[in-house]
Amino acid sequence: MKRAYFLLWLTGTLLLAGGCLLPWEIAGEMDAAATRGIQLFPEIEDNGGATVLGLGVAIGLLSFKPKKLVDNPEIWRLVLSIILVLLCSLYFLRGILHQIAIGNVMTARVLGIGLVLILLGSILLLVFSSFDMPKRTQKQGRRSSKSI
């Protein structure tokens, strides 16, 4: 159970991180220009990917180091996951509406794979946050009444 829980978190986080760096929208056919969540080259530019990545990191911190940060990490993790899904859905919907508004012209923008990946990653992190993390159990020896 712990391994499946960790893999669910890891998959969601990797999808978020990869989706933030991959194109969110692609414009044009011959000379394609891509809009990324976080653009690193030729100059650093943020188009909303840093917020998505920051929420993903916060969910991870609340999952594996909860006692050092807040009192009720399960509630905060769930709230941040819901905010993350809503934010990613907003970016995805904005891309679809932008594509519809431009219409069918030669330089129309199309959705990139990055938007799909951040939406899938945020849904996986919401599923991850809705489950309780398995508690570590310590092996306790049987105490006999003679040892008291």
Side-chain angles (χ1 to χ4, degrees), residues 83-105:
I83 292 171
L84 180 63
V85 168
L86 291 175
L87 183 66
C88 293
S89 299
L90 176 72
Y91 286 139
F92 192 77
L93 185 64
R94 184 185 69 174
I96 290 174
L97 290 176
H98 193 233
Q99 186 178 6
I100 291 171
I102 290 178
N104 192 11
V105 294

Side-chain angles (χ1 to χ4, degrees), residues 19-148:
C20 286
L21 297 174
L22 291 174
W24 285 12
E25 287 183 339
I26 302 170
E29 292 179 8
M30 299 297 280
D31 186 23
T35 302
R36 291 172 164 76
I38 300 173
Q39 181 177 337
L40 299 175
F41 182 80
E43 57 189 37
I44 296 175
E45 182 180 339
D46 176 35
N47 294 314
T51 307
V52 171
L53 201 57
L55 283 172
V57 167
I59 292 168
L61 286 175
L62 287 173
S63 299
F64 297 106
K65 299 288 183 188
K67 298 296 181 195
K68 294 181 180 178
L69 298 174
V70 292
D71 291 334
N72 296 322
E74 295 84 15
I75 295 171
W76 284 105
R77 190 174 64 206
L78 188 61
V79 167
L80 287 178
S81 296
I82 291 171
I83 292 171
L84 180 63
V85 168
L86 291 175
L87 183 66
C88 293
S89 299
L90 176 72
Y91 286 139
F92 192 77
L93 185 64
R94 184 185 69 174
I96 290 174
L97 290 176
H98 193 233
Q99 186 178 6
I100 291 171
I102 290 178
N104 192 11
V105 294
M106 192 162 193
T107 60
R109 294 182 175 265
V110 295
L111 293 178
I113 189 69
L115 278 178
V116 177
L117 289 180
I118 65 165
L119 188 61
L120 288 175
S122 66
I123 291 170
L124 281 177
L125 285 178
L126 179 63
V127 170
F128 164 78
S129 296
S130 64
F131 293 131
D132 285 333
M133 188 170 183
K135 305 292 183 212
R136 293 184 179 176
T137 58
Q138 296 178 353
K139 293 184 179 179
Q140 297 177 351
R142 293 186 184 183
R143 292 184 179 180
S144 63
S145 59
K146 296 178 185 175
S147 62
I148 297 177

